[in-house]
């Protein structure tokens, strides 16, 4: 499709809250609300890469799934080419796009490809299934040719040999290449790669990321890349001139170009991620730049700025007021320190 400046995906003030009911063996009958994602706005453009980083439980996977329509938000909106996907799903949209179009255009590659590939089917059959959906006009031979050429393209040679194997006869890296091929066969606009290289042997991760970047350009696709590793996030995002979004406790703390996030982070939490990633060769020394290690409970997140209980720069103003997002070109940061006139600077430092 043409690039008219409309984002392929636009997330506006997205909120995902889950009800967590007590189990049979738990006391009490109070249902708790887990605030997995709160107030996140992100645009994904044509041929874009948006990478989400943050510690485990920060909401990056929930946000990714919400972006591609696998999770319904409890607030805000997710738009595909300017149309609310849940209005399309509910039949309340006059867009010339069906829910099936949306689901086809927004694909996912899971962390563990083995669990998403049917163990009882050969690779050829696994890949023929999605192809049947998008190209029902193709005959058996044409389908086989397309599958073989894509397997070759993702480095699985000899392709006929791999096409006839079962998933368990492949390595983790080969399974991930099949998962990537399956997503690409749908001709998607966006692929959510959820920790997609974590299952790949460390020595092959760069090769896998290079392959994904090459295919991104070839297939005119955008990626939402989720990683707990800032070093991989930097590699993948910088090569595509994309953006890294840093998530903390369900919120977007900072988002901007990869090198700016890594070399000149503006949010104190990004500094922590940088410190915790030795591969970045930034010669980070000394203590971790954080007051407390424990992650607060997402059922009852801290008031004001959610990072204030751990932030080394926190002041009293951070306890009561939620920081807005301050923007400077492509770099957006949710921290009072970006506003030199804010009361934050006059308020006493938190020390406990
Ligand atoms: S708003 Fe305050 S607590 Fe939050 S990151 Fe900035 S300085 Fe730290």
């Amino acid at each position: 499709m043409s690039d008219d400046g409309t984002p392929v995906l636009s997330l506006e003030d997205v909120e995902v809250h889950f009800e967590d009911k007590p189990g049979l063996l738990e006391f009490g009958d109070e249902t708790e609300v887990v605030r997995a994602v709160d107030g996140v706005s992100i645009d994904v453009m044509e041929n874009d890469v948006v990478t989400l980083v943050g510690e485990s439980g920060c909401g990056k996977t929930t946000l990714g799934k919400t972006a591609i329509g696998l999770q319904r938000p409890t607030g805000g909106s997710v738009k595909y080419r300017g149309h609310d996907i849940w209005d399309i799903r509910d039949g309340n949209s006059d867009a010339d796009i069906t829910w099936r179009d949306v689901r086809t255009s927004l694909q996912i590659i899971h962390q563990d490809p083995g669990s998403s590939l049917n163990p009882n089917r050969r690779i050829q059959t696994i890949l023929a299934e999605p192809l049947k959906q998008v190209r029902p006009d193709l005959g058996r031979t044409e389908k086989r040719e397309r599958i073989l050429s894509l397997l070759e393209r993702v480095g699985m040679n000899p392709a006929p040999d791999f096409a006839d194997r079962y998933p368990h006869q492949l390595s983790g890296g080969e399974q991930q290449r099949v998962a990537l091929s399956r997503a690409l066969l749908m001709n998607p606009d966006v692929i959510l790669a959820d920790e997609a290289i974590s299952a790949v042997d460390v020595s092959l991760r760069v090769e896998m990321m290079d392959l994904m970047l090459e295919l991104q350009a070839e297939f005119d696709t955008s990626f939402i890349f989720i990683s707990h590793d800032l070093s991989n996030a930097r590699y993948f995002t910088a090569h595509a001139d994309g953006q890294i979004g840093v998530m903390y406790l369900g919120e977007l703390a900072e988002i901007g170009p990869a090198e700016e996030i890594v070399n000149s982070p503006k949010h104190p939490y990004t500094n922590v991620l940088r410190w915790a990633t030795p591969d970045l060769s930034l010669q980070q020394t000394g203590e971790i730049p954080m007051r407390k290690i424990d992650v607060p409970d997402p059922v009852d997140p801290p008031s004001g700025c959610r990072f204030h209980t751990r932030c080394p720069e926190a002041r009293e103003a951070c306890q009561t007021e939620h920081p807005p997002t301050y923007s400077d070109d492509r770099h957006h940061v949710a921290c009072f320190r970006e506003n030199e006139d804010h009361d934050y600077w006059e308020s006493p430092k938190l020390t406990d």
Side-chain angles (χ1 to χ4, degrees), residues 8-43:
V8 181
L9 272 181
S10 184
L11 279 66
E12 218 176 292
D13 212 10
V14 165
E15 164 201 293
V16 185
H17 293 176
F18 296 114
E19 286 195 350
D20 188 16
K21 297 194 172 118
L24 279 177
L25 299 177
E26 287 175 301
F27 293 110
D29 53 9
E30 291 248 329
T31 298
E32 294 185 318
V33 175
V34 180
R35 303 165 74 96
V37 175
D38 256 329
V40 175
S41 300
I42 294 179
D43 285 341

Side-chain angles (χ1 to χ4, degrees), residues 255 266 324-334 338:
I255 185 166
K266 295 185 174 184
T325 301
Y326 299 97
S327 300
D328 171 12
D329 194 17
R330 290 176 69 201
H331 202 150
H332 313 275
V333 190
E338 291 305 300

Side-chain angles (χ1 to χ4, degrees), residues 284-332:
Q284 299 282 68
T285 52
E287 302 267 299
I288 184 166
M290 202 158 53
R291 293 186 2 258
K292 285 180 188 154
I293 300 295
D294 296 338
V295 185
D297 186 352
V299 169
D300 185 21
S303 58
C305 173
R306 289 189 180 175
F307 189 49
H308 87 255
T309 54
R310 303 166 87 194
C311 179
E313 307 293 347
R315 297 179 179 230
E316 280 184 11
C318 307
Q319 285 181 306
T320 50
E321 207 183 318
H322 188 266
T325 301
Y326 299 97
S327 300
D328 171 12
D329 194 17
R330 290 176 69 201
H331 202 150
H332 313 275

